[in-house]
C-alpha cells in the first residue's frame, strides 16, 4: 500500500481506422470537448503528479491540441503501433527518463473513452491502494461482450488473467465480464512484467493485458473493480459509437442541469456543451443547442430552435429561433424569431431584435429595437432608439468596413439605408426610404429620397382595356379624385 502521488498514462496512438476520418480519432468531439479532452478531465480528478499521453497516428495534430487544452501533459511518440503493452512500455520508459516515476501507482487510461468520470478514476485508485494488489483493473458486465478482453477470475474472486476475444475459446467467450482497458498498476510489478511481454498472439502485438497473467505467475494478486454503469467505459471506435457516446453525454449533462433547477422541455433534442453555465429557472425549449462557454442567467427562456455559441444571456431574456455566436444578450431582451447575431453583438437590457434581423459587431442600447428585416453591421445604437423595418447599415464600400453611430431615442424610418461612416444625433429622425449619406444632427429630420410625382389618368391612357384600367375607372366613377394642391 502506498500513498505516493499517481502518474497517469493515456493511450492515444491508435489510428482509429473505423472512424474513416482525416481527423485523428481522439480529436473527434462530443459536448464541445475532444474525446481525449474528456479522458484528461477524468484523470485530473486524481491530481496526477505526471500525465503522459502516448501519441502516434496524427501526432502533430494531437500534440498541438494537447498543448492547447492540457499544456501540463507530456507526450511520447509511438511511431508504430505494436500494441497496448508496447505503448505503455514506451510511456513508462519516458516517465523514468524524465525522473517522473516514483513508487506511486501508474494509472493507464485509453484516449477514446469519453464517458469515464473522475469519480470512477478516483475509485479505481482508492480500491488499488486498499487492496495492495499488483494491478487493479476496471471491468464491466455487458450484454454484448464481443470484441472485448474477458476477465477470468479465480475461485477467490481475484483476476487470474485477461483473454482477448480473438484468442479466447468458447467457454471464455461466454464470460460477460469484460476488461475496460483502464488500470492501476504498482510500478514494482508492472515494470518487470512489461519487460517479459511477447507477441505470441493472434495479432502479433504486445498486449498490455498479458501483464496480468505474468503478475499472477509471480504470485502477485490482481483485483478488478466492476463499474456499475458500463456506459462509462464505452470506447469510441466508429461514428455509431461516437453518436452513442454523444447521446449518453447529452443525457448526463441535461440530467445534471435539470437537477440544478433548469427546465428542459425536450432533453432528447437539447444539446449542452460541457463548458456551459446555466442558472436555476432557466428554461430550454426543444431543439436548442448551447455551445462553448455560453452562460444563461436566471429566468431566461431559450428556444425553440436556437443555437447559441459562446454567448452570454442575461436574466429573463427571451431568445427564440435564433443563431448567435459570441454575442451578449442583456437582461429582459427579446430576440427572434429568426435572428442571426454574429460575433461582437451586444444587446442592451430590455432591447428587442426581431424577425429576420442580422447583427454583427454592433451594440444596441437599453430598450432599443430593431424589430424587423434589417442588417446592422459595425454600429452603435443608443438607448430607446427604434430602427424601422428593412433598414440596412451599409457598412461596406467594397473595400473597407465603416461604422455608424446612432444616438439615443432616434427614430430611423423604415427602409433607410445608413451609409457609413455616419453619425445620427440623439433624438433625430430619418424619413422612411431615405438613403442617408451625411451626418444628422440631434433632433433633425433627414430626408434622403426622391420626391414623389403622381401622374393622374396614366393607367387609363397607357394601359387602356386592362383590368387595372377598368378597376381605376370604377373607383373614379364612385369618388372622383380631389384637385391636387401639392405632392407630399
Ligand atoms: C483493449 C484491451 C481489451 C479491452 C479493450 C477495452 C488489449 C490487448 N486489449 O482492446 O482487453 O477489452 O481494450 O476497450 O489491451 N493503442 C496505442 N498503441 C498501440 C495500440 C493501442 O496507443 O500500439 C491505444 C489505442 O489508440 C486505444 C487503446 O490503446 O486508445 C486501446 O487499443 P485498442 O486497439 O482499441 O485495444 P482493443 O483491441 O480495443
Ligand atoms: Ca478499443
Amino acid at each position: 500500500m502506498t500513498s505516493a502521488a499517481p502518474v497517469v498514462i493515456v493511450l492515444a496512438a491508435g489510428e482509429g481506422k473505423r472512424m474513416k476520418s482525416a481527423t485523428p480519432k481522439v480529436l473527434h468531439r462530443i459536448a464541445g470537448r475532444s474525446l481525449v479532452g474528456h479522458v484528461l478531465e477524468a484523470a485530473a480528478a486524481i491530481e496526477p503528479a505526471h500525465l503522459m499521453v502516448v501519441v502516434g497516428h496524427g501526432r502533430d495534430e494531437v500534440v498541438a491540441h494537447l498543448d492547447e487544452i492540457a499544456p501540463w501533459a507530456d507526450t511520447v511518440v509511438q511511431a508504430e503501433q505494436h500494441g497496448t503493452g508496447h505503448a505503455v512500455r514506451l510511456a513508462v520508459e519516458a516517465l523514468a527518463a524524465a525522473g517522473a516515476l516514483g513508487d506511486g501507482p501508474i494509472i493507464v487510461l485509453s484516449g477514446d473513452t469519453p464517458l469515464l468520470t473522475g469519480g470512477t478514476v478516483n475509485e479505481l485508485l482508492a480500491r488499488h491502494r486498499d487492496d495492495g494488489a499488483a494491478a487493479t483493473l476496471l471491468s464491466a458486465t455487458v450484454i454484448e461482450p464481443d470484441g472485448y478482453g474477458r476477465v477470468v477470475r479465480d475461485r477467490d474472486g481475484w483476476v487470474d488473467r485477461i483473454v482477448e476475444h480473438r484468442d479466447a475459446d468458447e467457454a471464455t467467450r461466454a464470460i460477460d465480464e469484460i476488461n475496460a482497458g483502464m488500470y492501476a498498476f504498482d510500478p514494482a510489478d508492472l515494470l518487470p512484467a512489461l519487460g517479459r511481454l511477447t507477441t505470441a498472439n493472434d495479432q502479433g502485438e504486445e498486449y498490455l493485458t498479458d501483464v496480468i497473467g505474468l503478475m499472477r505467475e509471480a504470485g502477485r494478486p490482481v483485483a478488478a473493480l466492476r463499474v456499475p454503469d458500463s456506459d462509462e467505459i464505452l470506447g469510441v471506435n466508429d461514428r455509431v459509437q461516437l453518436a452513442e457516446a454523444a447521446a449518453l453525454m447529452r443525457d448526463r449533462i441535461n440530467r445534471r442541469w435539470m437537477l440544478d433547477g433548469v427546465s428542459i422541455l425536450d432533453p432528447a433534442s437539447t444539446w449542452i456543451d460541457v463548458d456551459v453555465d446555466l442558472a436555476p429557472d432557466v428554461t430550454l425549449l426543444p431543439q436548442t443547442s448551447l455551445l462553448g462557454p455560453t452562460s444563461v442567467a436566471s429566468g431566461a427562456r431559450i428556444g425553440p430552435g436556437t443555437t447559441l455559441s459562446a454567448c452570454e444571456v442575461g436574466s429573463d431574456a427571451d431568445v427564440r429561433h435564433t443563431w448567435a455566436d459570441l454575442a451578449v444578450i442583456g437582461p429582459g431582451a427579446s430576440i427572434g424569431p429568426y435572428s442571426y447575431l454574429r460575433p461582437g453583438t451586444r444587446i442592451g437590457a430590455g432591447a428587442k431584435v426581431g424577425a429576420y434581423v442580422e447583427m454583427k459587431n454592433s451594440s444596441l442600447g437599453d430598450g432599443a429595437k430593431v424589430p424587423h428585416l434589417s442588417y446592422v453591421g459595425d454600429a452603435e445604437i443608443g438607448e430607446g432608439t427604434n430602427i424601422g423595418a428593412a433598414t440596412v447599415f451599409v457598412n461596406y464600400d467594397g473595400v473597407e468596413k465603416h461604422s455608424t453611430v446612432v444616438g439615443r431615442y432616434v427614430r430611423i424610418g423604415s427602409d433607410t439605408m445608413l451609409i457609413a461612416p455616419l453619425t445620427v444625433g440623439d433624438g433625430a429622425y430619418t424619413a422612411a426610404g431615405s438613403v442617408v449619406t451625411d451626418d444628422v444632427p440631434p433632433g433633425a429630420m433627414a430626408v434622403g429620397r426622391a420626391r414623389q410625382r403622381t401622374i393622374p389618368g396614366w393607367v387609363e391612357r397607357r394601359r387602356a382595356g386592362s383590368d387595372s384600367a377598368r378597376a381605376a375607372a370604377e373607383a373614379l366613377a364612385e369618388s372622383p379624385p380631389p384637385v391636387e394642391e401639392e405632392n407630399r
Side-chain angles (χ1 to χ4, degrees):
M1 214 196 296
T2 169
S3 61
V7 297
V8 171
I9 295 170
V10 176
L11 305 185
E15 183 174 6
K17 214 176 280 167
R18 282 175 283 164
M19 294 296 283
K20 304 196 173 145
S21 176
T23 302
K25 177 168 82 171
V26 295
L27 298 191
H28 281 261
R29 300 171 82 83
I30 65 173
R33 184 182 278 160
S34 64
L35 300 182
V36 68
H38 284 284
V39 175
L40 296 189
E41 180 72 17
I46 57 169
E47 297 176 6
H50 288 275
L51 200 147
M52 183 66 70
V53 183
V54 183
V55 298
H57 277 280
R59 57 181 172 263
D60 293 344
E61 268 178 88
V62 176
V63 168
H65 175 68
L66 292 172
D67 281 346
E68 202 177 300
I69 65 157
W72 57 88
D74 291 320
T75 54
V76 58
V77 175
Q78 185 193 24
E80 284 174 34
Q81 283 71 52
H82 297 306
T84 47
H86 177 240
V88 170
R89 190 152 60 76
L90 294 181
V92 165
E93 283 165 12
L95 283 164
L101 209 57
D103 51 6
I106 298 172
I107 308 288
V108 175
L109 305 174
S110 205
D112 59 358
T113 55
L115 296 166
L116 178 69
T117 62
T120 295
V121 182
N122 248 319
E123 265 181 66
L124 172 67
L125 180 61
R127 176 65 177 274
H128 181 70
R129 283 178 165 154
D130 288 351
D131 283 355
T136 307
L137 56 94
L138 280 185
S139 72
T141 305
V142 296
I143 295 159
E144 278 183 33
D146 276 23
Y148 287 102
R150 304 300 203 283
V151 177
V152 182
R153 294 190 186 239
D154 67 16
R155 264 174 303 165
D156 303 320
W158 295 100
V159 177
D160 189 56
R161 59 188 190 281
I162 306 288
V163 184
E164 289 307 296
H165 180 85
R166 53 207 308 165
D167 301 306
D169 58 23
E170 278 308 304
T172 310
R173 285 188 179 183
I175 297 173
D176 63 358
E177 184 180 10
I178 59 106
N179 169 31
M182 307 169 193
Y183 319 78
F185 292 108
D186 190 323
D189 293 290
L190 180 63
L191 270 58
L194 285 174
R196 292 172 54 203
L197 287 179
T198 69
T199 54
N201 52 57
D202 190 56
Q203 295 193 93
E205 291 183 350
E206 287 180 40
Y207 286 172
L208 178 59
T209 43
D210 285 348
V211 302
I212 307 298
L214 292 167
M215 287 167 175
R216 291 312 301 266
E217 279 171 27
R220 299 281 291 134
V222 174
L225 172 65
R226 208 188 291 236
V227 294
D229 174 11
S230 65
D231 291 344
E232 269 211 46
I233 56 125
L234 176 75
V236 173
N237 297 304
D238 56 31
R239 309 273 182 154
V240 175
Q241 287 169 326
L242 184 69
E244 274 170 22
L248 290 164
M249 181 67 77
R250 175 201 64 207
D251 292 347
R252 191 190 276 177
I253 291 171
N254 288 351
R255 188 183 150 77
R256 194 191 98 215
W257 286 121
M258 289 188 279
L259 293 174
D260 279 354
V262 173
S263 280
I264 301 182
L265 269 74
D266 181 21
S269 74
T270 303
W271 297 83
I272 304 174
D273 277 358
V274 285
D275 290 331
V276 169
D277 189 33
L278 304 174
D281 284 325
V282 161
T283 300
L284 303 180
L285 294 141
Q287 311 274 342
T288 289
S289 295
L290 303 179
L291 312 177
T294 290
S295 69
V296 183
S298 169
R301 287 166 60 86
I302 313 291
T306 293
T307 297
L308 304 182
S309 178
C311 289
E312 188 185 320
V313 181
S315 55
D316 301 313
D318 198 350
V319 184
R320 294 160 292 159
H321 284 291
T322 288
W323 186 286
D325 193 5
L326 279 164
V328 178
I329 295 168
S334 166
I335 312 294
Y338 314 114
S339 303
Y340 178 28
L341 308 184
R342 292 163 52 200
T345 297
R346 299 173 303 284
I347 307 298
K352 178 186 165 76
V353 177
Y356 306 105
V357 171
E358 173 177 345
M359 291 185 69
K360 170 225 122 177
N361 187 35
S362 294
S363 64
L364 185 63
D366 293 351
K369 294 176 179 171
V370 190
H372 337 268
L373 301 159
S374 293
Y375 172 64
V376 181
D378 302 308
E380 199 182 296
I381 299 170
E383 164 197 345
T385 285
N386 190 83
I387 307 294
T391 291
V392 174
F393 285 69
V394 183
N395 60 335
Y396 186 46
D397 61 13
V399 180
E400 280 179 79
K401 300 281 168 64
H402 302 280
S403 32
T404 299
V405 178
V406 176
R408 303 163 58 230
Y409 298 95
V410 168
R411 296 287 174 267
I412 299 291
S414 292
D415 194 36
T416 297
M417 299 292 120
L418 298 164
I419 314 292
L422 186 73
T423 300
V424 179
D426 292 345
Y429 275 53
T430 69
S434 289
V435 177
V436 180
T437 52
D438 300 332
D439 287 355
V440 184
M445 158 66 93
V447 186
R449 66 188 184 208
R451 186 169 283 274
Q452 179 177 334
R453 194 156 68 96
T454 306
I455 306 165
W458 186 94
V459 174
E460 200 177 24
R461 293 194 300 279
R462 300 296 200 85
R463 297 291 183 267
S466 68
D467 288 346
S468 301
R470 204 160 32 252
E474 283 165 16
L476 290 168
E478 263 175 45
S479 56
V483 179
E484 215 170 308
E485 285 171 23
E486 194 198 352
N487 284 333
R488 290 196 48 83

